[in-house]
Amino acid sequence: MRLAVRRVLTGLPGGGPVLVACSGGADSLALAAATAFVAPRLGRQAGLVTVDHGLQAGSAERAEAVADWARAEGLDPVEVLPVRVDGRPGGPEAAAREARYEALIAAAHRFDAVGVLLGHTRDEQAETVLLALARGAGPRGLSGMPERRDVDGVPLLRPLLDVPRANTRAACEALGLDPWADPHNADPAYARARVRSDVLPGLVDALGPGVVANLARTAGLLAADNAALDALADAALADARTREGGLSVAGLAELPAAVRTRVLHTWARELGAAPAALSHRHVAALDALVTAWRGQGPVHLPGNHQVRRHAGHLLP
């Protein structure tokens, strides 16, 4: 685990601290402990931020306990980030996740951090792949969580994606740490909790213990393929653009379907369609304007945007 943290820290630029996002659970607590050990030996400043979602009794006290532990370990800066989840669109999981990432990105800017470390493990990657399969997601969804994703100029980094969850629990036990068990992680009302408690253990029983690593490896392979296809799509989008701000139908029609749909997805987001609301159905309708043109009317995209075909062009 320390080697995984060392690899990530050595790849970051200097000039500011790296922050560990720590809930107090075994995964993020083990990550924070490893970072507190590795960072000073690399001459790096490391801090910790913990988000208080305010969804359970005693959450503020637990967050302060995590912060007190981090200060005792020499992490600096350390901050508790209270957030409000109520009133956000989507389900409770999505709302909490959105609020959490907003707070983490804001804290990173406030402290001029060079990156934020997240404690997702190999097991969570496998769970993410299974949830994506259940949703009928394409290669992008099945590629799971990336090792690095830049949001608003802040690198979000996952050093433990190849580390089993059992290792983080063992690390906490060896270090005498008492991680917090979030009751939401065992609540069957949440899809991920059901995958964690029932689906994935059932697959392990049926197919053997290697299934978790194999699911995570599949995500990595698909991520590499997606990166290559995305690069092709970026180039194709640049070639297909017209002076009017639209796209050339002839240029799009020549593209392989896997590249063309990526071009249309990216362009729809440029037009203002919210990523969370932009579905396969919308992209398929845009694709039909190119490949199955019968004089149909405009395609309606999330956010009250429209795309129509006119004179060999797709136009917003």
Side-chain angles (χ1 to χ4, degrees):
M1 195 174 312
R2 289 173 178 174
L3 288 176
V5 172
R6 176 182 289 271
R7 176 178 62 82
V8 169
L9 293 187
T10 53
L12 291 174
V18 61
L19 300 177
V20 182
C22 182
S23 67
D27 300 339
S28 60
L29 197 59
L31 174 62
T35 304
F37 179 87
V38 171
R41 288 163 176 79
L42 295 177
R44 301 204 65 114
Q45 181 187 3
L48 179 144
V49 288
T50 182
V51 177
D52 173 19
H53 298 88
L55 296 175
Q56 299 160 346
S59 64
E61 290 77 7
R62 280 192 297 273
E64 288 297 342
V66 171
D68 289 342
W69 170 83
R71 295 185 187 100
E73 290 295 309
L75 293 168
D76 180 58
V78 174
E79 186 170 84
V80 175
L81 308 174
V83 299
R84 293 197 60 178
V85 176
D86 294 343
R88 291 175 179 267
E93 287 178 289
R97 182 170 57 250
E98 181 184 27
R100 180 167 60 253
Y101 280 105
E102 283 181 4
L104 293 175
I105 297 302
H109 285 302
R110 194 161 54 251
F111 292 118
D112 292 323
V114 296
V116 176
L117 305 187
L118 307 173
H120 300 114
T121 63
R122 177 193 292 175
D123 298 68
E124 284 178 284
Q125 185 74 298
E127 294 162 7
T128 300
V129 173
L130 290 174
L131 288 167
L133 278 170
R135 293 195 307 269
R140 194 182 304 278
L142 294 174
S143 64
M145 297 176 287
E147 290 187 0
R148 173 174 176 154
R149 181 167 70 100
D150 288 28
V151 179
D152 196 17
V154 177
L156 301 177
L157 305 142
R158 298 179 172 91
L160 306 185
L161 276 186
D162 200 34
V163 175
R165 181 178 291 132
N167 287 21
T168 65
R169 293 173 175 168
C172 287
E173 184 176 354
L175 295 169
L177 302 176
D178 184 20
W180 173 57
D182 186 347
H184 283 167
N185 291 336
D187 187 342
Y190 298 101
R192 184 176 288 272
R194 297 193 297 274
V195 169
R196 182 170 299 180
S197 63
D198 300 327
V199 178
L200 196 53
L203 286 175
V204 170
D205 288 342
L207 302 175
V211 69
V212 175
N214 289 340
L215 285 167
R217 182 164 53 251
T218 297
L221 294 171
L222 282 169
D225 291 348
N226 276 321
L229 286 169
D230 285 344
L232 292 174
D234 288 343
L237 176 58
D239 290 341
R241 293 187 190 275
T242 67
R243 294 179 180 177
E244 297 79 12
L247 299 180
S248 164
V249 170
L252 293 172
E254 296 176 352
L255 299 171
V259 177
R260 184 176 60 251
T261 53
R262 277 172 166 76
V263 169
L264 293 171
H265 187 276
T266 300
W267 188 58
R269 291 179 60 173
E270 287 182 1
L271 296 179
L278 186 63
S279 69
H280 170 75
R281 174 176 59 86
H282 298 114
V283 177
L286 290 175
D287 197 41
L289 293 179
V290 177
T291 62
W293 173 244
R294 302 182 306 276
Q296 61 263 44
V299 172
H300 296 268
L301 298 176
N304 200 30
H305 300 282
Q306 294 184 8
V307 172
R308 59 191 173 90
R309 173 166 169 164
H310 176 72
H313 298 134
L314 296 189
L315 298 171

